Amino acid sequence: MSTKFTDFNFATELQDGLGAMGFQQPTPIQQQAIPIILQERDLIACAQTGTGKTAAFLLPVMHKIISSHSETLNTLIIVPTRELAIQIDEAIQGFGYFTPVSAIAIYGGSDGMAFEQEKKALTQGANIIIATPGRLIAHLNMGYVNFSSIKHLILDEADRMLDMGFSDALNKIISHLPNERQTLFFSATMPPKIRELAKRILKNPEQINIAVSKPAAGVTQGAYVVYNEQKLPLLKTVLREKNFKSMIVFASTKDKVKQLERELKHARFNIAAIHSDLEQEQRNEALRNFKNRSLQIVVATDVLSRGIDIDSIGMVINYDVPRDAEDYVHRVGRTARAEQTGVAITFINPEDQRNFGRIEELIESTIEKLPIPAELGAAPAYEPHKKFFKPAGGKKHHGKPRHSKPFKKKQ
Ligand code: ADP
Ligand code: MG
């Protein structure tokens, strides 16, 4: 006896939208969260990336907007990034195609026209506002925002928002909201600071926790143990060999992303970079092209690692090991969304071996170490429990080489 969407008795127009989107069976987080939200309870829900959290909060809230014939501002959704705001707005357009529900994404970074439009939507009442904290505060500071009709506050990617330092901004926004409201927290992880925040702003919340800190089952994971100098030639080889229609390369810093962009463009790959120094329009364009498959490879910092849903990315490459083990799961979660299959590959340099060991502990499995191509020379041994000492002068490499060929430094 499995739950179907029709069991929730959603408004017909909403059910039609679901059908048009090809949604048939609710995912586990949707099965658990939707009834609680329909019952007006506060909720704190934790489920890993790609499990369908967006529809879990949008559908019941949209149902309530439709059945109450609300014509005013009803729901505020706060998200950490512009991309996620746009994506949720698009999901509302999809589910709400046959409904009168109106929404606007408020994310800043754009021109004065956009600001005026946002102001209009804020004052004349779109039903749902999806906003990044900074931009919303800019509007709040102008004094014309009236949140008195808000019934639902939703925080999506709550953990990410705290990581990004939005804590004060969130407090400020919440101070503008009516006390009588339903508050919903969605997060991929539930670190203690999220629990503290939840305790302060949720009222007697229900809790759902279906986070398993493991990448989705369809992901094939592998890793290359390498020296730093081997990373770039290896990246080119792997991209050329795998040649998936869509591939994402994550690097640890903006500067590295820019450097990889130059190198890969020079080597004639079909690539674009996404990082926070770009104009919003450039970021949107790259994402659009990536989604419609005219762009094959995106190189990005963490901006893209959470929340953003792009169908069937064939491969994710971690050019650097993510510092935070949870981030590994998020990045790898970019592939194999909703039960497809994907490949996730990580490059591990000697400095990162310990961190990678921690990731393997978190996900409770040992990730296969792949042999690097012979022409790249010998690779370091994988010894995650050994303390790393930076080799003096960078000439000698510690550890036993796994290949008999001497390691040649590539320029
Ligand atoms: P999360 O926010 O948990 O990371 P999303 O809400 O972005 O996950 O959903 C991931 C993908 O799965 C999206 O492409 C979404 O359209 C799809 N999806 C979600 N729920 C369902 C469902 N019940 N049936 C089919 N596809 C779904
Ligand atoms: Mg999400």
Side-chain angles (χ1 to χ4, degrees), residues 5 22-27 30 48-55 87 307 309 311 337-338:
F5 277 114
F23 279 40
Q24 288 165 353
Q25 178 84 30
T27 64
Q30 291 161 4
Q48 75 188 102
T49 299
T51 50
K53 293 190 285 298
T54 318
Q87 187 178 295
D309 178 52
D311 277 350
R337 306 280 280 179

Side-chain angles (χ1 to χ4, degrees), residues 53-54 84 156-157 307:
K53 293 190 285 298
T54 318
L84 191 54
D156 191 21
E157 304 276 345

